[in-house]
Amino acid sequence: MSTRSQQLPELGQDSGREYRLGIMGGTFDPIHYGHLVTAEQAREALNLDLVLFMPAGSPAFKQDRTVTSPEDRYAMTVLATAANPAFYASRFEIDRPGVTYTVDTLKALRAHYPANVRLYFITGADAILDIVSWHDAASIASLATLIAATRPGYDIEQAQARIARSGIHFDVRYIQIPALAISSTNIRDRVRLGKSARYLTSESVIGYMHKNGLYRMPVPEG
Ligand code: NAP
């Protein structure tokens, strides 16, 4: 498997210390402030040196529905993350053909970075809840610490019990993110209905959505 090193920022040069790499995985259709706050608070809480925003190319659990093109989702991710020097928008998954499996990404990153770089995979707690059914879940558990972003009121104990029943030892850290009341689904619905998405995501992302006609109501034929 190619590691496409040209797409990955350098990390781990000083072998005398540990580096922590966050991998922010999501469909990002579109990226919004909930995602950005999640990454920033994970970075702070876990002392991450860098967070790679990794839009999924062809999300494993979304093979039955239409997802906005990878290039549009990546472009919005670049725009939204541009101002933070600790954030890096990555083409790593969108350039990989076929269904996107997190285990493939983590294996490739593990092969690319030296051993003093630890991997932290960050995503929504609802997605993490399903992790026991993800492709090669046992390898994921051995490759990365998981950071699960929860919305307020989320039942962490139920999630922990379900993951424990799998018999695989996952190292999961839960962080509560009030801004995750924002959701991509809600933004898509608002735009489709001609409502404002302002202040739910960055002005640059809103500009991109409008300029490229994303999420608009399909024009009826005939
Ligand atoms: P999803 O099912 O669309 O999202 C579940 C929930 O988590 C939604 O409420 C979503 O809100 C939220 N969420 C998603 N990504 C988030 C993030 N980075 N930070 C905070 N909240 C987030 O999940 P998905 O986007 O398809 O997948 C999430 C990640 O898990 C991706 O990296 C995907 O590749 C990986 N995954 C891997 C497998 C596999 O390897 N078999 C299977 C499933 C998912 P929003 O809709 O507002 O984002």
Side-chain angles (χ1 to χ4, degrees):
M1 186 186 306
S2 159
T3 58
R4 297 177 178 277
S5 57
Q6 72 279 11
Q7 293 169 19
L8 294 169
E10 277 192 22
L11 200 65
Q13 308 87 325
D14 175 358
S15 58
R17 80 159 176 103
E18 177 187 283
Y19 291 82
R20 296 180 168 202
L21 177 66
I23 302 116
M24 180 75 175
T27 304
F28 302 136
D29 190 15
I31 191 165
H32 55 66
Y33 281 141
H35 299 130
L36 295 164
V37 171
T38 297
E40 179 65 2
Q41 294 194 5
R43 185 193 65 73
E44 193 176 58
L46 278 303
N47 283 320
L48 306 178
D49 292 282
L50 207 61
V51 180
L52 294 182
F53 278 70
M54 194 80 81
S58 177
F61 286 1
K62 295 196 172 128
Q63 297 301 302
D64 57 344
R65 81 157 170 91
T66 308
V67 173
T68 304
S69 81
E71 290 300 339
D72 281 332
R73 291 183 288 110
Y74 170 72
M76 291 188 283
T77 304
V78 170
L79 291 169
T81 56
N84 189 330
F87 289 177
Y88 185 98
S90 172
R91 298 187 57 91
F92 201 70
E93 288 191 341
I94 67 167
D95 283 345
R96 200 166 65 224
V99 177
T100 304
Y101 292 116
T102 298
V103 70
D104 295 337
T105 302
L106 295 177
K107 280 183 179 169
L109 293 175
R110 187 63 284 156
H112 176 76
Y113 285 107
N116 61 329
V117 176
R118 286 186 59 179
L119 306 181
Y120 292 79
F121 185 75
I122 313 161
T123 195
D126 289 341
I128 295 260
L129 194 58
D130 287 328
I131 198 160
V132 294
S133 56
W134 289 10
H135 185 57
D136 198 358
S139 292
I140 294 177
S142 69
L143 286 162
T145 298
L146 304 172
I147 303 177
T150 70
R151 298 186 157 99
Y154 186 84
D155 188 348
I156 290 178
E157 283 180 15
Q158 198 188 20
Q160 284 169 329
R162 180 162 168 194
I163 291 172
R165 277 198 297 277
S166 72
I168 303 170
H169 176 71
F170 292 97
D171 180 7
V172 189
R173 317 287 171 90
Y174 294 86
I175 53 172
Q176 199 184 86
I177 308 290
L180 273 182
I182 302 170
S183 80
S184 299
T185 306
N186 178 252
I187 292 177
R188 291 195 303 274
D189 288 346
R190 292 189 73 83
V191 175
R192 193 171 296 120
L193 296 171
K195 292 182 172 176
S196 171
R198 190 149 274 158
Y199 310 123
L200 299 174
T201 187
S202 68
E203 288 293 311
S204 55
V205 168
I206 289 177
Y208 186 95
M209 292 189 307
H210 288 315
K211 190 170 173 185
N212 293 281
L214 301 185
Y215 313 122
R216 283 209 201 124
M217 191 99 75
V219 180
E221 286 178 26

